[in-house]
Amino acid sequence: MPLQKLQLRPGLNREGTDYANEGGYYDGDKIRFRSGFPEKIGGWIRLNANYFVGMCRSLWNWTTLQNDNLLGIGTNLKYYIEQGGVYNDITPITYQDSYSNVISTGFTTLAANLTANANTIAITTATYFPQNNGLIKIDTEHIYYAARTSTVLTGVIRGYDNTTATTHTAGANVASAFLYVNDNSNAIDNQYLIIANATSVGGINAAVINQEHQAQKYVATGGFFMLASTPDGNSANASFATSNVVNAGGTITIQYEVPPGLDVYTYGNGWGAAPWGYYGWGNAAPVTVGQQLRLWTNDNYGEDLVFAPRGGGIYYWSALTGTSVRGQYLSDVANVASAGSGVWVPKITNQVISSAIQRFVIAYGANSYDPTDSNTTFDPMLVRWSDQENPYQWVPEVTNQSGEFRLSNGSYIMTARATRQEILVWTDSAIYSQQYLGPPYVWGFNVLMDNISVMGPNSVITINNVTYWMGSDKFYMYSGRVETLPCSLRQYVFNDINKDQSWQVYAGGNEGYNEVWWVYCSR
């Protein structure tokens, strides 16, 4: 039988069975098709040897007027600017307060002999020992425990930090590596904070205390625990108490960074499923309620940066101040306009972008400008914008162009993207075109198409003046009109995707290969 040349169609097709796809490719992994032929997709290399904390949810790259190449990185815990391989923490400070003599140390003794392989530990008193995820030292052995019930430590890992597990006798000292701070419940779980002006407490030096720490909430009282270690968070370098001291440390200052967010989207129902008081006192959530994960939006205002966590405030970072200076509330920056008793920069927003050509800062989902409402009621369908060429002026007046407009189609604004001639705005059921009109109306909004869907806030990308996005059951594109994007993997993708984690979907592009990528969570 003579040899025959096989001519296979390029691309993967999963709309039928592998037998029905005769003469084509049915399955593959890490390949692309170029000029009709399959090609291996290359791997990746590490940017540098440094690291940041948290799950990265945002990357924003730009170059300043001084030709500094910067990369904004938003995680569920912090916000960084990478420059020259260094991750500079610019996470804004949202609150600061001073406290007098509120630091206590955990120090006690063993209540019974301890063998080298025991997995529970009885101590004499548990005051000022964390209820969860604690670290103690007995003689020279470091021991981690997962939980504390009364005076018994459980879920222990012996010989922690490469120390040696050994026997210990009753009455031996048990020292905690955690300090308890009674700050009247201002900190929350995993929040980063900076302590200053503290004195030494219970054998732990002031230099160890006066640093950045990550709070561990203690549910029984109004304060939090913090690991007494160096900023690298390495427990092997932790300091341990040498005595039991209650309420010392002098007058300390605590700066609280932007509260952390979740790294996955979670669901709950019943009591406590929504923010406190959301359904009224004593009323449980009637249906399953989503707890959104931490998502950042960021954009440039000239060479500066405006950024915001979804559901939080708007922050501003000036390139002239350098990466040693943290971002600030936009309402705290000099020259902010004020009216009456309040500052009218939006206090809450779901997304912030900059209109680069017209020079506006625009918030999608925000609290309205309403002097009678104390500027606090959040409207997920409201679009607000600053004055032109003035990101600090949000008070609508006849002498400026700041204002607001409420969209009507949908329940909330999912996302917005600036394109060459317009800004595209997606609600949960429609897509709008936002175009600059000039005074007095400033911005005009037109529905491009309703009864459409969008998978998540980051499932949209614009490449070569064409915008693509993933919907709940199909792919779309917009190049002047909304169209369904043909896809031979549509059935496979939307049967495989974990829609509970739809807000983790990210769209990306590789213009060198004329590609659009969507990264999603599989079931």
Side-chain angles (χ1 to χ4, degrees), residues 53 77 178 188-193 211-217 224-227 260:
V53 299
L77 300 176
F178 283 84
I188 65 173
D189 280 335
N190 299 320
Q191 184 172 13
Y192 280 85
L193 43 89
Q211 298 182 31
E212 182 182 73
H213 302 272
Q214 189 175 21
Q216 176 180 320
K217 200 66 180 168
F224 64 89
F225 283 94
M226 63 183 188
L227 180 65

Short mmCIF file of all heavy atoms in Angstrom, two decimals, residues 53 77 178 188-193 211-217 224-227 260:
data_model
loop_
_atom_site.label_atom_id
_atom_site.label_comp_id
_atom_site.label_asym_id
_atom_site.label_seq_id
_atom_site.Cartn_x
_atom_site.Cartn_y
_atom_site.Cartn_z
N VAL A 53 3.81 38.64 48.99
CA VAL A 53 2.88 37.83 49.76
C VAL A 53 1.48 37.95 49.16
O VAL A 53 1.10 38.98 48.60
CB VAL A 53 2.85 38.23 51.25
CG1 VAL A 53 4.22 38.04 51.88
CG2 VAL A 53 2.38 39.67 51.42
N LEU A 77 -3.62 40.33 49.72
CA LEU A 77 -3.13 40.87 50.98
C LEU A 77 -2.51 42.25 50.86
O LEU A 77 -2.57 43.04 51.79
CB LEU A 77 -2.09 39.92 51.60
CG LEU A 77 -2.57 38.51 51.93
CD1 LEU A 77 -1.40 37.67 52.44
CD2 LEU A 77 -3.68 38.54 52.97
N PHE A 178 4.16 34.59 70.11
CA PHE A 178 3.14 35.56 69.72
C PHE A 178 2.94 36.57 70.84
O PHE A 178 2.93 36.23 72.02
CB PHE A 178 1.82 34.87 69.40
CG PHE A 178 1.80 34.22 68.05
CD1 PHE A 178 2.31 32.95 67.87
CD2 PHE A 178 1.25 34.88 66.96
CE1 PHE A 178 2.30 32.36 66.62
CE2 PHE A 178 1.23 34.29 65.71
CZ PHE A 178 1.76 33.03 65.54
N ILE A 188 -8.22 42.87 61.66
CA ILE A 188 -8.98 41.68 61.26
C ILE A 188 -7.99 40.59 60.88
O ILE A 188 -6.78 40.83 60.78
CB ILE A 188 -9.92 41.98 60.07
CG1 ILE A 188 -9.12 42.34 58.82
CG2 ILE A 188 -10.89 43.10 60.42
CD1 ILE A 188 -9.98 42.48 57.58
N ASP A 189 -8.49 39.39 60.66
CA ASP A 189 -7.63 38.26 60.31
C ASP A 189 -6.74 38.59 59.12
O ASP A 189 -7.23 39.11 58.10
CB ASP A 189 -8.46 37.02 59.98
CG ASP A 189 -8.93 36.32 61.24
OD1 ASP A 189 -8.26 36.47 62.28
OD2 ASP A 189 -9.97 35.63 61.19
N ASN A 190 -5.46 38.28 59.25
CA ASN A 190 -4.47 38.38 58.17
C ASN A 190 -4.14 39.81 57.76
O ASN A 190 -3.39 40.02 56.81
CB ASN A 190 -4.92 37.59 56.93
CG ASN A 190 -5.08 36.11 57.21
OD1 ASN A 190 -4.28 35.53 57.93
ND2 ASN A 190 -6.13 35.51 56.67
N GLN A 191 -4.69 40.80 58.45
CA GLN A 191 -4.38 42.18 58.09
C GLN A 191 -2.95 42.52 58.49
O GLN A 191 -2.47 42.15 59.55
CB GLN A 191 -5.34 43.14 58.78
CG GLN A 191 -5.15 44.59 58.36
CD GLN A 191 -6.24 45.50 58.89
OE1 GLN A 191 -7.01 45.10 59.76
NE2 GLN A 191 -6.31 46.71 58.39
N TYR A 192 -2.27 43.25 57.61
CA TYR A 192 -0.92 43.72 57.92
C TYR A 192 -1.00 45.07 58.60
O TYR A 192 -1.82 45.92 58.24
CB TYR A 192 -0.08 43.81 56.65
CG TYR A 192 0.46 42.46 56.21
CD1 TYR A 192 -0.31 41.60 55.43
CD2 TYR A 192 1.72 42.04 56.60
CE1 TYR A 192 0.17 40.37 55.05
CE2 TYR A 192 2.22 40.80 56.21
CZ TYR A 192 1.44 39.97 55.44
OH TYR A 192 1.92 38.74 55.06
N LEU A 193 -0.13 45.25 59.58
CA LEU A 193 -0.11 46.50 60.32
C LEU A 193 1.33 46.81 60.74
O LEU A 193 2.19 45.92 60.76
CB LEU A 193 -1.03 46.43 61.54
CG LEU A 193 -0.98 45.13 62.37
CD1 LEU A 193 0.06 45.22 63.45
CD2 LEU A 193 -2.35 44.85 62.94
N GLN A 211 7.86 46.79 63.95
CA GLN A 211 8.00 46.37 62.56
C GLN A 211 6.60 46.15 61.99
O GLN A 211 5.60 46.43 62.63
CB GLN A 211 8.82 45.08 62.45
CG GLN A 211 10.24 45.18 62.95
CD GLN A 211 10.99 43.89 62.76
OE1 GLN A 211 10.74 43.13 61.84
NE2 GLN A 211 11.94 43.64 63.65
N GLU A 212 6.56 45.63 60.76
CA GLU A 212 5.30 45.23 60.16
C GLU A 212 4.96 43.82 60.61
O GLU A 212 5.83 42.94 60.64
CB GLU A 212 5.39 45.28 58.63
CG GLU A 212 4.08 44.92 57.95
CD GLU A 212 4.18 44.93 56.43
OE1 GLU A 212 4.80 44.01 55.88
OE2 GLU A 212 3.67 45.87 55.81
N HIS A 213 3.71 43.59 60.95
CA HIS A 213 3.24 42.29 61.41
C HIS A 213 1.93 41.94 60.72
O HIS A 213 1.24 42.81 60.20
CB HIS A 213 3.02 42.30 62.92
CG HIS A 213 4.22 42.65 63.73
ND1 HIS A 213 5.14 41.73 64.16
CD2 HIS A 213 4.66 43.86 64.17
CE1 HIS A 213 6.09 42.34 64.84
NE2 HIS A 213 5.83 43.63 64.87
N GLN A 214 1.62 40.65 60.73
CA GLN A 214 0.34 40.18 60.21
C GLN A 214 -0.52 39.74 61.39
O GLN A 214 -0.10 38.92 62.21
CB GLN A 214 0.52 39.03 59.22
CG GLN A 214 -0.75 38.64 58.50
CD GLN A 214 -0.51 37.57 57.43
OE1 GLN A 214 0.48 36.85 57.47
NE2 GLN A 214 -1.40 37.48 56.47
N ALA A 215 -1.71 40.31 61.48
CA ALA A 215 -2.57 40.05 62.63
C ALA A 215 -3.22 38.68 62.54
O ALA A 215 -3.61 38.23 61.47
CB ALA A 215 -3.64 41.13 62.73
N GLN A 216 -3.33 38.05 63.70
CA GLN A 216 -4.10 36.82 63.83
C GLN A 216 -5.18 37.08 64.86
O GLN A 216 -4.89 37.35 66.02
CB GLN A 216 -3.20 35.66 64.26
CG GLN A 216 -3.95 34.36 64.50
CD GLN A 216 -3.03 33.24 64.93
OE1 GLN A 216 -1.93 33.10 64.42
NE2 GLN A 216 -3.46 32.46 65.90
N LYS A 217 -6.42 37.02 64.43
CA LYS A 217 -7.51 37.44 65.30
C LYS A 217 -7.71 36.47 66.45
O LYS A 217 -7.59 35.25 66.29
CB LYS A 217 -8.80 37.56 64.49
CG LYS A 217 -9.84 38.42 65.17
CD LYS A 217 -9.38 39.86 65.27
CE LYS A 217 -10.43 40.72 65.96
NZ LYS A 217 -9.92 42.02 66.32
N PHE A 224 -5.67 41.21 68.95
CA PHE A 224 -5.13 40.28 67.97
C PHE A 224 -3.76 39.80 68.43
O PHE A 224 -3.13 40.40 69.32
CB PHE A 224 -5.02 40.95 66.60
CG PHE A 224 -4.05 42.11 66.56
CD1 PHE A 224 -2.70 41.91 66.25
CD2 PHE A 224 -4.47 43.40 66.83
CE1 PHE A 224 -1.80 42.96 66.23
CE2 PHE A 224 -3.58 44.46 66.80
CZ PHE A 224 -2.24 44.25 66.50
N PHE A 225 -3.30 38.72 67.83
CA PHE A 225 -1.97 38.21 68.07
C PHE A 225 -1.08 38.53 66.88
O PHE A 225 -1.55 38.59 65.74
CB PHE A 225 -1.99 36.69 68.28
CG PHE A 225 -2.47 36.28 69.65
CD1 PHE A 225 -3.79 35.98 69.88
CD2 PHE A 225 -1.59 36.21 70.71
CE1 PHE A 225 -4.24 35.61 71.13
CE2 PHE A 225 -2.01 35.84 71.97
CZ PHE A 225 -3.34 35.53 72.19
N MET A 226 0.20 38.70 67.13
CA MET A 226 1.17 38.90 66.06
C MET A 226 2.42 38.11 66.39
O MET A 226 2.84 38.00 67.55
CB MET A 226 1.50 40.38 65.89
CG MET A 226 2.16 41.03 67.07
SD MET A 226 2.43 42.79 66.81
CE MET A 226 3.41 43.18 68.27
N LEU A 227 3.02 37.53 65.37
CA LEU A 227 4.24 36.74 65.52
C LEU A 227 5.41 37.67 65.75
O LEU A 227 5.64 38.61 64.97
CB LEU A 227 4.47 35.87 64.29
CG LEU A 227 5.72 34.98 64.28
CD1 LEU A 227 5.60 33.91 65.38
CD2 LEU A 227 5.89 34.31 62.93
N PRO A 260 -7.23 42.83 54.21
CA PRO A 260 -7.03 41.80 53.18
C PRO A 260 -8.36 41.30 52.64
O PRO A 260 -9.43 41.51 53.22
CB PRO A 260 -6.30 40.69 53.94
CG PRO A 260 -6.76 40.85 55.35
CD PRO A 260 -6.93 42.34 55.55
#
